[in-house]
Amino acid sequence: MREAFDAELARFRDQLAALAKGTKDAMTRATTALLDNSLAEAAGVVGDDDELVGLHHRIDQQALVLLARQQPVAGDLRTIMAGLRMSADLKRMATLARHIAELVTRRHPRPVVPSEVRQSVVAMGAVAVRLAGAAQDAVTTENVDAATALERADDVMDDLLTSLYRTLVVDHRWDAETAIDLTLLGRYYERFADHAVSVAKRVAFAAGTRRPEAAPSS
Amino acid sequence: MREAFDAELARFRDQLAALAKGTKDAMTRATTALLDNSLAEAAGVVGDDDELVGLHHRIDQQALVLLARQQPVAGDLRTIMAGLRMSADLKRMATLARHIAELVTRRHPRPVVPSEVRQSVVAMGAVAVRLAGAAQDAVTTENVDAATALERADDVMDDLLTSLYRTLVVDHRWDAETAIDLTLLGRYYERFADHAVSVAKRVAFAAGTRRPEAAPSS
């Protein structure tokens, strides 16, 4: 019985790791779609997102099965609960990547990112992909130390966002549509980073070193 | 044993209902702070949010205790899982109300909402409070029908947001700071509405009439 449970728990973890990988790939492609103004890449992100949502649903189902089948001991219970929340975070991250891709599609052929703020957006994309990779590592290796490193990278993202908004305010050449797009774009990247940090914190919770709740609050 | 479990489950539900009420009150006050440009109301929202976050943590803990103490039967398991997710939604809604309040504080004494778009924002605030009230009803009464009504109100919110953004784009008088503020403001209201709908869907899931996952996807 315990052996079957362990096998199912291992499968649960594998699915989470696959979702984390898919989420990182989605952000990588979405940022490429944005910077290359590529409809094909954008469409790829949207298509992949449907699969990630499906995977997220299967993880949720698996968690319910695990909880229902056998009284999980304390450590297993934490793993399952943390996994459920990570699954929600990762799905949300995939949705945010999809929002970036959809912005590209909506404005095409006009690029979303004017050349004047391209470097800010390149930096935000790089931090987002790095954070997604760190979240994936945390999920895969169950490495607790990742949380601290991720929080630092999240601060970098906040600074980049502040700088992007300041550029918009100081430099008066922008029309409202560009300002709206860049505000939303910045917000998508910022939220993505928050959720990545949250994933790492939940790994720490599962290991017993954090409070249960670590949902992004900003 | 079952009796003690039922008493704890009832307490879990009461805490959820209290969180739902607190969230609705937060949005009511945040909208008042916004429309009256009131620092005092804004500070009230921020102060209350700390309490709501504490309540959310206690709900999470309670869920873990319920899951750990006794093998919950299928219906109880659904109730606890749905409750956990509702708690996360409601906490996020409270955070979004707080973001609105913080926007008021940040821009004061300049009002966030220019008179030209005041009516749009009044309407968004009214829909948000109505949705929060419906979510509260759904949690309190466990009424499954609420979900459908909420989805309609959520469509109204989406239309209001589109209209707000269109006003910003068509009317060229806005500076970038106003455009950024109103874009974020609109997004906070929209996300708040999405989470309210999600709460109602989770009530339906707990009752066995919905898929497990109903997290807002937009």
Side-chain angles (χ1 to χ4, degrees):
Chain A
M1 181 113 172
R2 176 72 217 182
E3 209 166 292
F5 184 84
D6 283 344
E8 278 187 37
L9 199 58
R11 193 162 153 261
F12 178 70
R13 287 188 169 118
D14 287 348
Q15 286 183 318
L16 258 186
L19 182 58
K21 183 185 180 307
T23 297
K24 188 188 71 174
D25 292 346
M27 183 44 101
T28 306
R29 285 187 89 175
T31 299
T32 302
L34 182 69
L35 295 173
D36 294 356
N37 198 18
S38 162
L39 281 179
E41 285 289 342
V45 175
V46 173
D48 287 352
D49 187 50
D50 293 336
E51 282 174 40
L52 295 176
V53 170
L55 180 54
H56 162 73
H57 285 311
R58 290 197 295 282
I59 291 170
D60 269 21
Q61 282 297 342
Q62 183 79 4
L64 278 172
V65 167
L66 281 164
L67 288 171
R69 188 158 302 173
Q70 179 178 333
Q71 179 73 26
V73 297
D76 292 337
L77 186 57
R78 295 168 80 92
T79 299
I80 298 165
M81 299 306 293
L84 264 172
R85 293 187 177 118
M86 284 188 249
S87 175
D89 280 318
L90 291 165
K91 183 203 152 215
R92 182 74 199 140
M93 289 163 75
T95 302
L96 290 163
R98 180 188 183 130
H99 283 350
I100 292 171
E102 286 169 340
L103 206 51
V104 173
T105 309
R106 205 175 312 136
R107 295 301 173 223
H108 201 271
R110 181 170 79 69
V112 174
V113 180
S115 57
E116 294 88 340
V117 295
R118 186 179 173 88
Q119 281 318 307
S120 290
V121 175
V122 167
M124 293 180 96
V127 174
V129 170
R130 184 147 51 91
L131 281 164
Q136 185 195 347
D137 284 349
V139 170
T140 310
T141 65
E142 300 181 11
N143 178 359
V144 174
D145 299 333
T148 315
L150 260 79
E151 278 177 272
R152 270 197 300 273
D154 187 38
D155 289 341
V156 173
M157 183 67 94
D158 290 342
D159 291 345
L160 286 168
L161 183 68
T162 305
S163 153
L164 175 67
Y165 286 178
R166 196 176 302 128
T167 305
L168 290 175
V169 170
V170 170
D171 196 331
H172 290 286
R173 90 188 76 178
W174 313 106
D175 58 39
E177 187 163 64
T178 303
I180 292 172
D181 283 358
L182 292 176
T183 302
L184 290 176
L185 184 67
R187 179 96 183 136
Y188 298 150
Y189 275 118
E190 181 207 19
R191 293 295 301 153
F192 185 94
D194 288 340
H195 283 286
V197 172
S198 171
V199 168
K201 283 185 183 168
R202 296 188 202 287
V203 171
F205 162 67
T209 57
R210 279 258 184 181
R211 292 186 69 185
E213 178 50 38
S217 61
S218 67
Chain B
M1 180 109 173
R2 177 71 217 181
E3 210 167 292
F5 184 83
D6 282 344
E8 278 189 36
L9 199 57
R11 194 163 152 261
F12 179 70
R13 287 189 169 117
D14 287 348
Q15 286 183 318
L16 258 186
L19 182 57
K21 184 184 179 308
T23 297
K24 188 188 73 175
D25 292 347
M27 183 44 100
T28 305
R29 284 186 91 175
T31 299
T32 301
L34 182 70
L35 295 172
D36 295 355
N37 198 18
S38 162
L39 280 180
E41 285 289 342
V45 174
V46 173
D48 288 351
D49 187 50
D50 293 336
E51 282 176 41
L52 294 176
V53 169
L55 180 54
H56 162 74
H57 286 312
R58 289 197 295 283
I59 291 170
D60 268 20
Q61 282 296 342
Q62 183 79 2
L64 278 173
V65 168
L66 280 165
L67 287 171
R69 186 159 303 174
Q70 179 178 333
Q71 178 73 26
V73 296
D76 292 336
L77 186 57
R78 296 168 80 92
T79 299
I80 298 165
M81 298 306 294
L84 264 172
R85 293 187 176 119
M86 284 188 249
S87 175
D89 280 318
L90 291 165
K91 182 203 152 214
R92 182 75 200 140
M93 289 164 74
T95 302
L96 290 162
R98 180 188 184 131
H99 283 350
I100 292 172
E102 287 170 340
L103 206 50
V104 173
T105 310
R106 205 175 311 136
R107 295 301 174 224
H108 202 271
R110 180 170 79 70
V112 174
V113 180
S115 58
E116 294 88 340
V117 295
R118 186 178 172 87
Q119 281 318 307
S120 289
V121 175
V122 167
M124 292 180 96
V127 174
V129 170
R130 184 146 52 91
L131 281 164
Q136 185 195 347
D137 285 348
V139 170
T140 311
T141 64
E142 300 183 9
N143 177 359
V144 174
D145 299 334
T148 316
L150 260 80
E151 277 177 272
R152 269 197 301 271
D154 187 37
D155 289 343
V156 174
M157 183 65 96
D158 290 341
D159 292 345
L160 286 168
L161 183 67
T162 305
S163 154
L164 175 66
Y165 286 178
R166 196 176 302 128
T167 304
L168 290 176
V169 170
V170 170
D171 197 332
H172 290 287
R173 91 189 75 179
W174 313 106
D175 58 40
E177 187 162 65
T178 303
I180 292 172
D181 282 357
L182 293 176
T183 301
L184 290 176
L185 184 67
R187 179 97 184 135
Y188 298 150
Y189 276 118
E190 181 207 18
R191 292 295 300 153
F192 185 93
D194 287 340
H195 283 286
V197 172
S198 172
V199 168
K201 282 186 183 167
R202 296 189 202 285
V203 171
F205 162 68
T209 58
R210 279 258 184 182
R211 293 186 68 184
E213 177 51 39
S217 61
S218 67

